[in-house]
């Protein structure tokens, strides 16, 4: 792919490494560096590229010729990613987005800035996705739904039609929303949780592990030790 834009990724975590791989292979961005806040700077290089202090970013990679993507996950219920993206924008950087070439995004979907959409997401007609949203692989976003700013959806989340997800919300692996459900701001919806009614702001729904059966796995399968 022809590389016509230069990009700095903020962060040096596993997500930053993954983001580098996706931008490098499946976008028109050339990743030229990483940046980390000075207090958290533990190394000077990753994947053959320099890591510079975020506070000095504009002196190394000017905003007129470089864009920024902040590759942090849902730390502080998405506040860290939100804060660093706002700081980069204040420095004058344009915020980059990545949408996988293997994602299905209907033509009239409205997508905000600084989003990361992995492969195998299905985003149906009339969906609106705000700014600074991360959608890991394999989610289904039903028609006419709205995902507000700073949300993080892990893999295989099902959002039915006409849902409204408040800002800063996290949805874990295999979480499900029924049709016409509104999720309040700052909700944490754990893995495998099914929500069928509206939720208030600042609520936490934990995924529960089932109790083990009374019979052991080896005995059930008649395995002789």
């Amino acid at each position: 792919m022809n590389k016509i834009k230069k990009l700095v990724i903020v962060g040096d975590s596993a997500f930053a490494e993954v983001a580098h791989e996706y931008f490098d292979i499946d976008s028109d961005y050339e990743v030229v560096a990483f940046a980390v806040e000075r207090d958290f700077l533990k190394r000077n290089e990753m994947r053959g590229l320099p890591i510079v202090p975020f506070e000095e970013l504009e002196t190394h990679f000017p905003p007129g010729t470089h864009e920024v993507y902040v590759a942090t996950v849902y730390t502080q219920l998405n506040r860290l990613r939100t804060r660093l993206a706002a700081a980069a924008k204040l420095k004058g950087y344009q915020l980059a987005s990545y949408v996988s070439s293997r994602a299905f995004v209907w033509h009239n979907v409205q997508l905000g800035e600084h989003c990361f959409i992995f492969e195998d997401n299905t985003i149906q007609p009339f969906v609106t996705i705000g700014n600074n949203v991360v959608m890991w692989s394999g989610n289904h976003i039903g028609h006419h739904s709205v995902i507000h700013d700073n949300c993080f959806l892990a893999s295989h989340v099902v959002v039915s039609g006409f849902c409204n997800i408040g800002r800063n919300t996290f949805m874990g692996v295999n979480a499900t929303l029924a049709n016409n459900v509104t999720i309040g701001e700052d909700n944490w919806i754990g893995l495998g949780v099914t929500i069928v009614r509206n939720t208030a702001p600042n609520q936490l729904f934990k995924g529960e592990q089932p109790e083990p059966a009374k019979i052991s796995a080896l005995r059930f399968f008649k395995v002789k030790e």
Side-chain angles (χ1 to χ4, degrees), residues 56-94:
E56 302 172 5
L57 181 56
E58 60 270 36
T59 65
H60 298 279
F61 303 98
T65 52
H66 297 80
E67 298 183 28
V68 161
Y69 181 77
V70 180
T72 63
V73 287
Y74 42 84
T75 308
Q76 301 168 339
L77 202 49
N78 297 303
R79 261 51 170 200
L80 176 60
R81 192 176 70 258
T82 302
R83 177 176 65 78
L84 290 171
K89 197 168 184 179
L90 197 61
K91 288 174 179 284
Y93 288 99
Q94 184 171 337

Side-chain angles (χ1 to χ4, degrees), residues 102-142:
R102 296 169 178 79
F104 177 84
V105 182
W106 193 252
H107 70 92
N108 60 5
V109 168
Q110 296 183 42
L111 184 65
E113 67 176 2
H114 197 246
C115 292
F116 204 104
I117 312 295
F118 281 77
E119 69 277 5
D120 297 331
N121 276 280
T122 296
I123 307 176
Q124 291 191 329
F126 311 111
V127 166
T128 298
I129 297 173
N131 300 321
N132 193 35
V133 171
V134 177
M135 295 172 57
W136 220 267
S137 54
N139 303 294
H140 167 91
I141 312 300

Side-chain angles (χ1 to χ4, degrees), residues 135-161:
M135 295 172 57
W136 220 267
S137 54
N139 303 294
H140 167 91
I141 312 300
H143 59 93
H144 296 93
S145 289
V146 178
I147 301 175
H148 289 274
D149 295 349
N150 315 323
C151 289
F152 190 105
L153 276 63
S155 297
H156 299 283
V157 169
V158 175
V159 176
S160 301

